[in-house]
C-alpha cells in the first residue's frame, strides 16, 4: 500500500477516536435530565456520571504514554479503542445509576488512554513537518467537532431513539476504528522508554478523587466541618503531599515541578486551568438551564448549546493572527477575560425579567469566542516554552491540569448551584419546610426534576411552579457569577505570571491546531 494511502487510513483512525472521545464529554450533559427521570438519578449521581469519566482520564494519562512506548503504540491504541467500545456498551446497557457510574469510570480510562495514544501515533506516523502539521490540524478540528456538536448529536439521538444510543453508538464506531488501525497504522516502540511512575499516578488520582468527593458529598455528612467530611479532607491533603514528595524524589517523575519556574510555562498553565475552571464544567449544567429555566425540549436545548460550543471551532485562525501580531502574554489573558465576560453577560441576561434565549445566548457566544482565543495559544506555549526533551512531560502536565480543573469544578459548580437554589427556595418558601427537606428539593431542581414538585398530592414536595423557576434562575445566576469572576481572577494571575517575559509572537505555522481541545 502506498504511503499516502496508509497515512490517510491512520489519520481516519485517530480522528475517529478523537471524535468518540469528545462526544462522550459533550453529548452526555444533554441527556442528564432524561437519565434523572428514567434511572431515578439524584443530583449527586448526575455529577458523578460526568465526573467519573474525567477523573478516570487523569488516572491513565501518564501511564499510557509509557505503556505505548514500551509495548507498541499500535498495539496499545487498538486495546484502548476496543476497551472504549466495550465500556460504551456497558454504559448503554447499565440498568441503574450505580452501574452507569462504574461503567463511565472504565469508559473514561479507556477514552483517556485512547486519546493519548492517538497523539503518539500521529507524531510517529507523520514525520514530514508540513504533513505532520496538516495531520494535527485535521485531528484538532475533528476533535473539536466532537466537543462542539456533541450536544446537538446527543439531543438528536434522544429525540429519534433512546438515551442508551448516546453510548451504544460508539460500539460500531470502535469496530470501524479498529479496522482502520490494523489497515494503516505502522507499529512503533521506544526501546528507551522510561520507568512507569506508579506511585505518582496513584497518589495524584486519589487526591483528585478525594477533593471531588469532599465537595460533592460533604453536605450529606452533615456539612464541610463534620467529622466524616474533615476526615476525607485530611486524607485528600495527605494524598497531595504524598504526590509532591513522590515526584520530587522519583527518578523519572511524571510532574517535574522545576518547569513551573519558567514564567511562560506557568502563565500558560493558568490559561489551561482557566478554560476548565468555568467554560467546560458549566456545559454539564447549561442544558438543565435551557430545558427547565427556558422550557426547551432536548432538540432545542442541543441547538442552544451550539451557541456556546461552536464559536471556539472557528476562532483558531483569529487566535493565530493575534499570536503572530502580539504574543501569548497578551492573547491568553485576553481569551480568559473574554470567557469571563461571556459568563457575566449570561448572568445579566438570565436575571432579566424577560429572560429568554435572546438574552442568554449572546453571553454564551462570547464565552465560546474566549475559549477559541485561549486554547491554541495555551497549548503551544506549554510545550514551546520548555526544552524539546521535556515537551512530552509538559504536554502531560497541560492535559492533567485541564482534566483536574474540570473534575474539581464540576463538583464546585454543582455545590454552588444547589446553594443558590436553596437560597432562592428559602426566600420563596419562608418557614415552609425544614432544612433537610428544602435541600432535597433544591437538589431535585438542580437535577432538572421539577415535575414531582408541582404535584399537590405530595404535600412534602409540592412547590409552586413560580417558586421553582425563580430558585433555579437564582442558582444558575450564582454559578454564572462564580464562573465569570473566577476566570477573571485567573486571567489577571496569568498576566501577572507572564510578567515581562519575552513570550514572542508565534508564527501561523507554529500555531497550528496541535492542541488538546479540552
Amino acid at each position: 500500500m502506498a504511503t499516502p494511502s496508509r497515512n490517510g487510513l491512520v489519520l481516519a483512525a485517530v480522528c475517529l477516536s478523537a471524535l468518540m472521545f469528545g462526544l462522550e464529554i459533550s453529548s452526555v450533559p444533554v441527556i442528564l435530565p432524561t437519565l434523572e427521570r428514567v434511572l431515578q438519578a439524584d443530583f449527586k449521581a448526575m455529577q458523578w456520571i460526568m465526573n467519573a469519566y474525567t477523573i478516570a482520564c487523569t488516572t491513565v494519562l501518564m501511564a499510557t504514554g509509557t505503556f505505548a512506548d514500551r509495548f507498541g503504540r499500535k498495539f496499545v491504541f487498538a486495546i484502548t479503542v476496543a476497551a472504549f467500545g466495550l465500556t460504551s456498551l456497558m454504559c448503554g446497557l447499565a440498568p441503574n445509576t450505580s452501574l452507569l457510574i462504574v461503567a463511565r469510570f472504565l469508559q473514561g480510562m479507556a477514552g483517556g488512554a485512547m486519546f493519548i495514544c492517538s497523539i503518539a501515533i500521529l507524531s510517529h506516523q507523520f514525520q514530514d513537518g508540513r504533513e505532520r502539521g496538516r495531520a494535527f490540524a485535521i485531528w484538532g478540528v475533528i476533535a473539536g467537532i466532537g466537543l462542539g456538536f456533541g450536544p446537538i448529536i446527543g439531543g438528536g439521538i434522544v429525540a429519534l431513539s433512546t438515551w442508551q444510543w448516546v453510548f451504544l453508538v460508539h460500539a460500531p464506531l470502535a469496530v470501524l476504528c479498529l479496522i482502520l488501525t490494523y489497515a494503516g497504522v505502522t507499529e512503533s516502540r521506544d526501546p528507551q522508554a522510561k520507568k512507569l511512575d506508579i506511585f505518582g499516578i496513584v497518589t495524584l488520582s486519589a487526591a483528585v478523587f478525594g477533593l471531588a468527593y469532599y465537595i460533592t458529598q460533604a453536605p450529606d455528612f452533615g456539612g464541610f466541618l463534620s467529622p466524616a467530611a474533615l476526615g476525607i479532607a485530611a486524607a485528600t491533603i495527605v494524598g497531595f503531599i504524598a504526590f509532591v514528595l513522590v515526584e520530587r524524589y522519583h527518578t523519572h517523575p511524571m510532574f517535574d515541578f522545576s518547569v513551573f519556574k519558567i514564567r511562560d510555562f506557568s502563565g500558560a498553565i493558568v490559561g489551561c486551568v482557566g478554560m476548565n475552571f468555568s467554560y467546560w464544567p458549566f456545559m454539564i449544567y447549561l442544558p438543565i438551564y435551557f430545558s427547565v429555566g427556558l422550557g426547551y425540549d432536548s432538540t432545542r436545548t442541543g441547538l442552544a448549546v451550539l451557541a456556546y460550543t461552536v464559536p471556539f471551532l472557528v476562532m483558531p485562525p483569529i487566535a493565530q493572527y493575534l499570536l503572530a501580531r502580539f504574543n501569548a502574554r497578551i492573547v491568553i489573558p485576553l481569551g480568559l477575560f473574554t470567557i469571563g465576560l461571556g459568563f457575566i453577560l449570561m448572568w445579566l441576561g438570565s436575571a432579566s425579567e424577560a429572560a429568554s434565549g435572546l438574552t442568554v445566548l449572546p453571553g454564551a457566544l462570547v464565552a465560546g469566542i474566549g475559549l477559541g482565543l485561549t486554547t491554541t495559544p495555551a497549548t503551544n506555549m506549554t510545550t514551546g516554552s520548555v526544552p524539546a526533551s521535556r515537551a512530552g512531560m509538559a504536554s502531560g502536565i497541560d492535559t492533567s491540569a485541564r482534566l483536574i480543573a474540570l473534575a474539581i469544578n464540576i463538583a464546585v459548580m454543582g455545590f454552588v448551584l444547589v446553594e443558590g437554589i436553596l437560597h432562592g427556595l428559602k426566600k420563596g418558601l419562608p418557614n415552609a419546610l425544614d432544612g433537610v427537606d428544602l435541600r432535597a428539593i433544591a437538589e431535585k431542581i438542580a437535577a432538572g426534576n421539577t415535575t414531582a414538585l408541582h404535584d399537590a398530592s405530595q404535600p412534602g414536595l409540592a412547590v409552586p411552579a413560580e417558586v421553582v423557576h425563580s430558585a433555579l434562575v437564582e442558582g444558575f445566576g450564582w454559578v454564572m457569577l462564580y464562573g465569570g469572576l473566577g476566570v477573571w481572577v485567573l486571567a489577571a494571575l496569568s498576566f501577572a505570571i507572564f510578567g515581562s517575559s519575552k513570550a514572542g509572537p508565534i508564527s501561523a505555522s507554529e500555531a497550528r491546531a496541535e492542541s488538546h481541545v479540552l
Side-chain angles (χ1 to χ4, degrees), residues 200-422:
I201 294 169
V202 171
T203 52
L204 178 62
S205 301
V208 173
F209 178 82
L211 182 55
Y213 191 79
Y214 172 74
I215 296 169
T216 304
Q217 303 296 137
D220 290 346
F221 295 140
F224 288 95
L225 298 180
S226 65
L230 289 176
I232 295 171
T236 300
I237 293 172
V238 170
F240 275 118
I241 294 174
F243 169 70
V244 173
L245 293 176
V246 166
E247 296 308 286
R248 289 191 63 182
Y249 294 105
H250 197 280
T251 306
H252 301 292
M254 65 180 188
F255 270 53
D256 183 353
F257 291 106
S258 66
V259 297
F260 288 99
K261 297 177 182 179
I262 303 174
R263 296 174 72 101
D264 289 349
F265 177 84
S266 295
I269 284 294
V270 173
C272 296
V273 170
M275 292 184 291
N276 291 270
F277 179 91
S278 56
Y279 183 93
W280 287 115
F282 187 57
M283 196 173 72
I284 308 302
Y285 303 105
L286 187 58
I288 297 174
Y289 175 78
F290 285 134
S291 62
V292 179
L294 299 182
Y296 289 178
D297 59 23
S298 59
T299 302
R300 290 186 67 194
T301 295
L303 289 171
V305 174
L306 282 180
Y308 187 68
T309 58
V310 167
F312 87 91
L313 295 177
V314 299
M315 289 304 296
I318 297 176
Q320 291 175 8
Y321 171 78
L322 292 175
L323 279 172
R325 188 173 180 85
F326 302 103
N327 54 51
R329 176 179 180 249
I330 300 298
V331 179
I332 292 175
L334 174 64
L336 294 180
F337 176 84
T338 306
I339 293 173
L341 178 62
F343 271 77
I344 297 300
L345 291 176
M346 284 191 286
W347 171 59
L348 294 173
S350 66
S352 64
E353 292 185 5
S356 66
L358 292 178
T359 62
V360 176
L361 291 180
L365 184 69
V366 171
I369 291 173
L371 182 76
L373 288 176
T374 312
T375 299
T376 299
T379 302
N380 276 278
M381 186 53 64
T382 55
T383 55
S385 60
V386 301
S389 60
R390 306 169 87 182
M393 182 272 302
S395 179
I397 294 178
D398 174 329
T399 307
S400 297
R402 297 178 193 225
L403 289 173
I404 290 170
L406 176 62
I408 291 173
N409 276 285
I410 287 175
V412 172
M413 280 192 168
F415 171 75
V416 172
L417 177 59
V418 170
E419 290 300 313
I421 293 174
L422 184 60

Side-chain angles (χ1 to χ4, degrees), residues 73-224:
R73 299 178 180 99
K74 176 180 177 178
F75 174 70
V76 175
F77 180 66
I79 289 177
T80 60
V81 170
F84 190 81
L86 180 61
T87 53
S88 296
L89 281 175
M90 294 172 59
C91 290
L93 299 176
N96 55 57
T97 54
S98 297
L99 290 178
L100 179 57
I101 291 170
V102 171
R104 282 284 285 172
F105 186 86
L106 297 175
Q107 187 190 39
M109 293 182 67
M114 179 177 66
F115 185 78
I116 293 299
C117 281
S118 68
I119 298 173
I121 286 175
L122 276 185
S123 298
H124 179 266
Q125 192 82 21
F126 294 88
Q127 299 293 328
D128 179 76
R130 178 175 296 181
E131 289 187 359
R132 185 169 179 268
R134 177 177 172 272
F136 269 105
I138 295 173
W139 173 84
V141 169
I142 298 300
I145 289 174
L147 287 165
F149 286 86
I152 187 61
I153 293 173
I157 290 174
V158 171
L160 296 175
S161 183
T162 62
W163 66 267
Q164 287 92 338
W165 279 101
V166 173
F167 300 108
L168 295 177
V169 69
H170 295 291
L173 292 179
V175 172
L176 175 59
C177 187
L178 283 173
I179 294 172
L180 293 171
T181 298
Y182 278 101
V185 178
T186 302
E187 185 60 280
S188 60
R189 293 180 176 83
D190 179 7
Q192 305 298 322
K194 295 180 179 179
K195 184 178 179 181
L196 187 63
D197 184 4
I198 296 177
F199 290 108
I201 294 169
V202 171
T203 52
L204 178 62
S205 301
V208 173
F209 178 82
L211 182 55
Y213 191 79
Y214 172 74
I215 296 169
T216 304
Q217 303 296 137
D220 290 346
F221 295 140
F224 288 95

